[in-house]
Amino acid sequence: MSKITIKETQNPSILKFEFENFITQNESFEFKNIDEAKSSPLAQQLFYLPFVKTVYISGNFIAIERFSIVEWDDVKDAVAEQIESFVTNGGIIITPSDNQKKKQPITVYGETTPNPAALKFVVSRMLTKNAIEFKNIDETAASPLAKELFKFPYVKEIFIDENYISVTKYEINDWQEITLELRTFIKQFIENGGTVLDESLVIANVEKENAKNQDFDNLDVTSQQIINILEEYVKPAVQADGGNIAFESYEEATKTVKVTLQGACSGCPSSTFTLKSGIENMLKSMLNDESIKVEAANA
């Protein structure tokens, strides 16, 4: 049986009947009569009691305002028993709205990255096919989720790609203090139908990428080889760490490759090491040229 706790309020006419668990998700209801209570079979039943004036349902409680024809002391135990019995017998407290019916449960978990300031929140469904980075709240027109995340004072940058959101934080908080809050927020935002990315507003980014792809044919052979190596060998590993890498340029005279780092890779203490020992060595080996240097364009 669902255990109900009776709590007094500052208003002597109103009594709260608390449940052990939440009975509504992020919603509150107020019913003044039986006709208004169509979405709550329980509230409708309570209105058959002649002294019930108003029924409030929110969080983990039902609050009832009484008419003055009775005192709460005389009826509160009977009301609590009636609520318990109704719920125990499978009665519905609130009929799910269309939005709630459409609600798709998802899982979100935090995953560390090589960058101690960045954490990757992996979602159990695809979010986008277009990687996008936000450096501040003014850039978030395409992402209502990113806009909301920037309202947390410790969020510095956000990177969204495929099925994850990479969050870079300021030093004011440790991850152990904020991970649960962020994970819960992201989960509830997506489950409640919030927009992660408005793909139509991301098109500008995609068009920029397409322009780069078209330019590919006009590039020298070495640049094309570098891009193919980055795409095939480097990018998957970098994305697994919550980041992204993009080819910017290759200077034949100095044998210098410039790349842009995004997400968890941007500002990562180990990114210089990764560029030099990992990517640079790979390009030297695969292109058979020991003179090649790799630099971050946005370092």
Side-chain angles (χ1 to χ4, degrees), residues 113 120 159 161 164 166 235 238-245 262-266:
T113 75
K120 183 177 166 187
F159 177 74
D161 192 16
Y164 68 85
S166 184
K235 200 173 257 193
V238 169
Q239 286 176 328
D241 285 335
N244 193 32
I245 187 167
Q262 295 177 309
C265 301
S266 178

Side-chain angles (χ1 to χ4, degrees), residues 89-128:
N89 291 324
I92 294 169
I93 298 172
I94 291 286
T95 306
S97 65
D98 288 341
N99 282 345
Q100 287 171 309
K101 286 173 191 166
K102 285 179 199 158
K103 189 167 160 177
Q104 293 291 319
I106 59 159
T107 57
V108 178
Y109 66 88
E111 202 174 84
T112 56
T113 75
N115 183 352
L119 199 65
K120 183 177 166 187
F121 291 91
V122 183
V123 182
S124 59
R125 75 171 198 220
M126 280 295 286
L127 302 174
T128 179

Side-chain angles (χ1 to χ4, degrees), residues 64-88:
I64 300 174
E65 182 182 9
R66 63 171 173 81
F67 286 111
S68 54
I69 53 171
V70 296
E71 294 299 326
W72 271 125
D73 281 345
D74 298 330
V75 295
K76 63 183 181 184
D77 292 331
V79 171
E81 199 175 301
Q82 183 170 332
I83 294 171
E84 282 183 358
S85 173
F86 179 89
V87 174
T88 303

Side-chain angles (χ1 to χ4, degrees), residues 171-242:
E171 290 178 6
I172 54 169
N173 290 88
D174 292 330
W175 280 119
Q176 62 199 42
E177 300 169 330
I178 59 177
T179 300
L180 180 62
E181 182 176 37
L182 282 173
R183 187 174 71 79
T184 304
F185 180 83
I186 291 168
K187 177 177 163 62
Q188 290 186 342
F189 183 92
I190 297 172
E191 282 187 341
N192 289 325
T195 302
V196 176
L197 273 178
D198 182 339
E199 297 288 343
S200 64
L201 295 176
V202 184
I203 285 173
N205 251 41
V206 179
E207 283 172 351
K208 210 160 63 178
E209 285 298 315
N210 289 343
K212 274 189 189 169
N213 293 341
Q214 283 162 6
D215 292 343
F216 180 87
D217 296 332
N218 303 324
L219 292 172
D220 60 278
V221 174
T222 307
S223 292
Q224 290 181 344
Q225 287 175 318
I226 291 166
I227 290 171
N228 287 336
I229 292 167
L230 291 177
E231 288 290 326
E232 191 171 345
Y233 296 98
V234 180
K235 200 173 257 193
V238 169
Q239 286 176 328
D241 285 335

